[in-house]
Amino acid sequence: MHALQVGLIGDHNDEVVAHRAIPVALDMAAAACGVAVEPIWVPTEQVGDGASLAEFDGLWCVPASPYRSMDGALTAIRVARERHVPFLGTCGGFQHAMIEYARNVLGWADAEHAETAPQARRQVIVPLLCSLVEVTDAVHLVEGSRLARAYGVNEITEGYHCSYGLSPDLREALADGPLRVCAVDDADDVRGVELDGHPFFVATLFQHERGALQGRLPPAVRAFVQTMADTY
């Protein structure tokens, strides 16, 4: 059986809970979908111009930023978006997917992350009013969204490990575009997005993959793997 290759875009650190969880989540999803999956870590500083990513059946931009190369992470996300490679982004992956979209689709060349560019004029990823480090919270999925279909329900509870989220200006700019908000919290703050017209481009601020360490198959990971299998 051909193993679907997933490029894990990030700087591997076994002390990061999500990094330990991701291979487990992919194994569980592969078994559920009846396929084989081979996760391959791709350090951000090795992404280069993205040409080396052509071999992958899917790309996952993983948590634990700042990355050693922000440009590498953004390049990988752009490759996935433009070449219709199935893509999943979680936590830092969500944040950088938003920066990539702001820069290369909205034309905001100066879009920055407040953590790495605290003096930047246009910060599209900003500190959360309430930190979500090791917090579990309710998430409301937009009915009919890809994420809601993956979970089979519109109300879920997921865990976080982050302190940064989407700026109000960027959320407003998303209103009429193909990158749609698909998940919010009780305060209506953005917790997930997905891209119309793409086989699978989903990014969440919450780290659903961590459920795999408690024996739970993360629905979004299963949907990601199933899309890779369907498009292979």
Side-chain angles (χ1 to χ4, degrees):
M1 180 184 298
H2 168 79
L4 299 169
Q5 293 191 328
V6 180
L8 303 181
I9 309 301
D11 309 313
H12 182 247
N13 180 352
D14 205 46
E15 294 182 3
V16 176
V17 174
H19 289 192
R20 300 197 302 272
I22 286 170
V24 179
L26 286 169
D27 281 346
M28 295 176 71
C33 296
V35 297
V37 172
E38 180 185 5
I40 300 173
W41 286 93
V42 182
T44 53
E45 72 270 28
Q46 294 182 18
V47 171
D49 63 1
S52 63
L53 304 179
E55 66 190 85
F56 292 110
D57 301 293
L59 296 172
W60 184 339
C61 194
V62 307
S65 59
Y67 302 116
R68 290 199 290 266
S69 172
M70 182 177 181
D71 286 345
L74 296 178
T75 295
I77 295 166
R78 185 171 189 172
V79 165
R81 181 179 56 79
E82 293 184 341
R83 299 182 189 172
H84 285 199
V85 178
F87 172 81
L88 192 58
T90 50
C91 197
F94 165 90
Q95 296 164 5
H96 287 75
M98 303 311 302
I99 295 170
E100 191 281 324
Y101 187 85
R103 289 185 180 182
N104 299 315
V105 178
L106 298 180
W108 296 1
D110 57 346
E112 290 288 355
H113 195 306
E115 184 175 22
T116 52
Q119 305 304 319
R121 185 183 67 85
R122 195 196 295 267
Q123 297 175 352
V124 299
I125 299 298
V126 298
L128 295 168
L129 292 178
C130 296
S131 174
L132 293 172
V133 174
E134 295 306 309
V135 169
T136 298
D137 201 7
V139 180
H140 310 280
L141 306 180
V142 173
E143 186 171 359
S145 65
R146 184 184 292 272
L147 204 54
R149 294 197 303 271
Y151 277 85
V153 296
N154 294 334
E155 307 293 327
I156 62 174
T157 300
E158 288 289 3
Y160 297 83
H161 188 90
C162 69
S163 300
Y164 293 85
L166 197 63
S167 73
D169 287 346
L170 183 51
R171 180 176 187 172
E172 183 178 351
L174 297 180
D176 299 319
L179 189 65
R180 298 186 297 111
V181 175
C182 64
V184 298
D185 69 358
D186 286 339
D188 198 42
D189 291 325
V190 178
R191 297 295 179 252
V193 296
E194 57 189 53
L195 184 63
D196 287 342
H198 192 286
F200 191 96
F201 190 103
V202 173
T204 67
L205 196 60
F206 51 90
Q207 297 182 6
H208 47 76
E209 62 268 30
R210 292 170 63 149
L213 296 179
Q214 283 74 51
R216 301 191 306 272
L217 170 58
V221 181
R222 178 174 181 166
F224 172 59
V225 170
Q226 187 63 61
T227 302
M228 286 191 294
D230 292 343
T231 56
Y232 171 69

